[in-house]
Amino acid sequence: MRIVSFLFLFIILTACKKETTPDVKDVKKEITEKNDVVRFRESYRPQYHFTPPEKWMNDPNGLLFHNGTYHLFYQYYPEDIVWGPMHWGHATSKDLVSWKHQPIALYPDELGYIFSGSAVMDLENTSGLGSKDNPPMIAIFTHHEPKGEKEGKNDFQYQSIAYSLDEGNTWTKYEGNPVIGNPTSIRDFRDPKVMWHEASQKWILTLVAGDHAKFYSSPDLKSWTYLSDFGKDKGAHGGVWECPDLFPLTVAGSDETKWVLLISINPGAPNGGSGTQYFVGDFDGTTFTTSQKDIKWIDYGSDNYAGVTYNGLPDSDRTFIGWMSNWNYAQKTPTENWRSAMTLSRKLTLHKNDTYYLKSYPVAAIDEYSYDSKTYDSITNKYSLTSENFNEMRIDFEIEGALEDFEVKFSNVANDQLFLGYHKEDHSFYVDRRKSGKIDFEPRFAEKIHLAPARTDKNDHTRFSIFLDASSVEFFVDQGTTTMTEQIFPTQPYTVMTFTSKDHKMTQVRVSKMKRIWE
Ligand code: FRU
């Protein structure tokens, strides 16, 4: 009887314990989740753009689509909110808008910091680092050796690889690193972008070497053969060439295929500091050639740098992500726990009229994030709309007739004012953030109005989209024919939008809230 009652008591106690003492792991998880929610409401934390959980981020790296998942790796320093010894952070997405943070993928090692680079799926196991049944995911990056740099040497950057056999969760550095050394001591020798070149059945690697790009080929991602140089006498040269990307695109509405070479450059961008130029030409498996005479920029705003495109997607879905900052002030922006965001993921398309040009516009999935849309047939001169928070909104509108001056102003009770519009006199679109909120953390942030030469699709009808987030504005004309991306730091959310034009009305206006991605 005594044993029975003991047993009874034991069962009751165990049952109670189960109910009242949650698993330690669950508690931890709950706290982390709560922290995430709190943390992601800090002032200026973008609500539908990618940001790291905390600390410093710069370039997107290793953009790769595989098995239904988009991988985004990025230059990451997990100890501070300024640049430091580089790691590769990692995040994944199912739709290129909402992201899940993943553990850090690559840590600095005895060969150096882990600088920018790319990733591929080696499906045929050409590298032998996996198997045909479990092909390796391979990251190709620059090792930057800080000691050599400090000692004034010039050979401290070289290219290395790492592989993952579990979809990017854990990584092993290749024991034969570096795979491309730096025997001729090129000081800036970095940012390898690799792709599979169908025509020559080889891997092609593009990297930058100060003032030009270099191409290499390989059968196995481990042994590389130098092919050619491009660009010493082409394009913009106001700064160092960085983060190249080479890919084919078919000209919209035709069956003509051209090759596009993206080259980021810092400084030397049209509105100061960092920017990304591109060349349209041909690539025959060995050399890139172009007859392009003018300098083309993917974005005329100040905050779209080091952008590259996804591997693993069909060429008709060429998708681009850029770092939404500028080395002129990136390390001084007024955020506390983290620094920098990525641009919205954008689809790139190639077009031709008098010349070849790229359009870049947010991927279709972004439309799923608009809600509570309000539409207006027209908005006339000096008309204002109010909202609780324009900084989590998207505004689409159209303008009929040949473009004359117009301006859209976003403002708040603190009298912060952001202006976007068109200046007929110099045929330019513009973003003026000189009074947009906090601007005094670095003089070059709000030194001048930023201009973009006005390129539109038609002469008598123009479409506009403005995406505002807590600390950014992305301005698209005609689905990305002209694009401007800018950081802004309003002291409070903008609550008023005012349209001004002597000649135009805004038509087909749609003002939508944007869903938050961190919930
Ligand atoms: C571009 C860049 C790259 C380099 C990386 C280092 O922003 O300078 O050229 O690999 O950042 O973080």
Side-chain angles (χ1 to χ4, degrees):
M1 182 62 198
R2 239 175 132 174
I3 291 178
V4 171
S5 42
F6 258 123
L7 246 177
F8 187 59
L9 194 67
F10 178 70
I11 289 168
I12 298 261
L13 278 177
T14 328
C16 284
K17 193 168 170 248
K18 274 225 168 96
E19 262 175 34
T20 53
T21 324
D23 189 351
V24 178
K25 259 203 214 140
D26 285 349
V27 174
K28 260 198 175 161
K29 190 168 167 254
E30 203 178 290
I31 291 173
T32 325
E33 275 167 8
K34 264 193 199 141
N35 280 345
D36 273 348
V37 171
V38 173
R39 220 175 28 224
F40 282 79
R41 293 281 173 281
E42 306 133 304
S43 56
Y44 301 134
R45 177 73 88 164
Q47 294 301 312
Y48 63 97
H49 286 77
F50 179 76
T51 48
E54 54 171 9
K55 309 302 180 189
W56 170 266
M57 173 179 83
N58 54 293
D59 315 356
N61 296 148
L63 303 182
L64 178 65
F65 178 71
H66 175 61
N67 255 350
T69 298
Y70 295 91
H71 293 268
L72 160 63
F73 300 89
Y74 53 90
Q75 288 287 278
Y76 190 43
Y77 181 43
E79 306 288 329
D80 204 344
I81 55 163
V82 289
W83 190 89
M86 283 290 115
H87 301 53
W88 272 27
H90 184 201
T92 50
S93 173
K94 290 288 174 197
D95 66 356
L96 287 164
V97 184
S98 287
W99 297 94
K100 207 167 162 228
H101 291 115
Q102 302 292 349
I104 292 176
L106 298 172
Y107 288 77
D109 57 38
E110 64 293 347
L111 289 178
Y113 301 166
I114 315 297
F115 270 26
S116 286
S118 49
V120 293
M121 272 312 294
D122 181 14
L123 293 171
E124 298 297 320
N125 192 32
T126 60
S127 63
L129 294 169
S131 62
K132 281 236 163 130
D133 291 342
N134 189 19
M137 184 182 281
I138 303 219
I140 309 98
F141 55 90
T142 299
H143 257 128
H144 169 101
E145 206 279 292
K147 224 172 104 244
E149 184 188 21
K150 270 195 206 105
E151 288 166 1
K153 295 186 179 152
N154 285 325
D155 59 353
F156 53 86
Q157 294 187 339
Y158 27 82
Q159 324 312 321
S160 292
I161 63 176
Y163 58 99
S164 169
L165 300 175
D166 58 4
E167 314 255 324
N169 283 327
T170 56
W171 290 84
T172 308
K173 306 243 178 61
Y174 172 53
E175 55 188 19
N177 281 340
V179 292
I180 302 182
N182 190 349
T184 55
S185 295
I186 303 170
R187 216 185 139 72
D188 296 292
F189 186 62
R190 57 178 179 267
D191 306 342
K193 172 78 195 244
V194 172
M195 55 149 194
W196 175 252
H197 187 240
E198 203 48 49
S200 61
Q201 291 287 297
K202 284 205 173 109
W203 298 102
I204 296 290
L205 181 151
T206 311
L207 56 71
V208 277
D211 62 355
H212 65 278
K214 287 187 181 296
F215 303 102
Y216 296 78
S217 76
S218 171
D220 59 6
L221 295 158
K222 297 188 293 197
S223 60
W224 292 93
T225 307
Y226 165 76
L227 298 174
S228 63
D229 282 4
F230 170 81
K232 260 194 180 35
D233 54 354
K234 292 261 170 14
H237 283 277
V240 177
W241 282 25
E242 299 186 313
C243 301
D245 193 0
L246 175 71
F247 50 85
L249 268 183
T250 301
V251 178
S254 83
D255 49 18
E256 182 187 11
T257 295
K258 299 297 282 183
W259 285 78
V260 176
L261 177 65
L262 303 183
I263 298 282
S264 282
I265 168 169
N266 178 61
N271 285 299
S274 323
T276 302
Q277 62 174 326
Y278 66 92
F279 301 90
V280 182
D282 297 295
F283 180 70
D284 62 3
T286 307
T287 21
F288 178 81
T289 49
T290 179
S291 52
Q292 184 178 316
K293 295 276 176 298
D294 59 337
I295 296 174
K296 299 181 189 293
W297 300 95
I298 205 160
D299 192 312
Y300 277 84
S302 269
D303 295 295
N304 182 354
Y305 192 58
V308 284
T309 65
Y310 266 86
N311 277 331
L313 288 174
D315 290 328
S316 53
D317 284 332
R318 186 57 56 183
T319 306
F320 168 99
I321 297 181
W323 173 45
M324 203 153 48
S325 200
N326 188 312
W327 283 114
N328 269 355
Y329 43 74
Q331 304 191 74
K332 296 185 183 163
T333 55
T335 59
E336 274 168 21
N337 299 329
W338 93 100
R339 271 230 177 90
S340 305
M342 295 300 178
T343 64
L344 289 175
S345 305
R346 299 173 185 182
K347 184 169 169 175
L348 297 187
T349 48
L350 185 62
H351 303 261
K352 186 181 176 184
N353 45 27
D354 49 327
T355 169
Y356 295 99
Y357 64 97
L358 283 178
K359 281 193 182 197
S360 61
Y361 195 68
V363 292
I366 198 74
D367 294 341
E368 309 292 317
Y369 287 76
S370 303
Y371 70 106
D372 261 8
S373 299
K374 293 205 171 66
T375 54
Y376 306 84
D377 288 341
S378 74
I379 290 183
T380 48
N381 188 32
K382 298 252 192 279
Y383 187 82
S384 294
L385 286 181
T386 54
S387 142
E388 249 166 64
N389 182 1
F390 274 109
N391 292 83
E392 288 180 40
M393 287 197 152
R394 160 188 188 164
I395 300 103
D396 298 282
F397 64 96
E398 300 186 7
I399 282 188
E400 299 292 342
L403 280 180
E404 300 289 339
D405 285 5
F406 78 86
E407 184 162 83
V408 183
K409 174 172 85 175
F410 294 94
S411 55
N412 58 24
V413 286
N415 211 23
D416 297 335
Q417 300 174 331
L418 169 72
F419 303 92
L420 297 85
Y422 174 71
H423 256 167
K424 189 173 182 188
E425 205 178 296
D426 48 16
H427 194 47
S428 294
F429 294 110
Y430 63 89
V431 176
D432 180 356
R433 62 180 178 187
R434 291 174 303 167
K435 296 183 183 147
S436 58
K438 275 195 194 158
I439 54 152
D440 59 359
F441 47 89
E442 155 63 48
R444 286 174 295 181
F445 180 77
E447 186 168 59
K448 53 184 187 209
I449 299 180
H450 294 158
L451 300 176
R455 182 173 273 283
T456 56
D457 286 354
K458 294 185 187 159
N459 291 332
D460 58 352
H461 179 108
T462 317
R463 292 168 298 165
F464 299 87
S465 304
I466 300 171
F467 291 82
L468 277 162
D469 203 337
S471 47
S472 62
V473 57
E474 286 158 286
F475 182 32
F476 297 97
V477 181
D478 277 338
Q479 249 65 7
T481 298
T482 305
T483 301
M484 299 185 84
T485 303
E486 303 268 351
Q487 289 187 87
I488 42 164
F489 299 95
T491 56
Q492 297 172 27
Y494 300 130
T495 49
V496 184
M497 179 182 99
T498 312
F499 177 74
T500 312
S501 175
K502 285 209 310 282
D503 306 282
H504 292 300
K505 296 186 274 191
M506 266 180 163
T507 59
Q508 313 282 332
V509 187
R510 189 179 194 89
V511 181
S512 317
K513 291 188 182 161
M514 293 299 291
K515 282 186 206 156
R516 295 172 168 171
I517 63 172
W518 301 115
E519 284 165 339

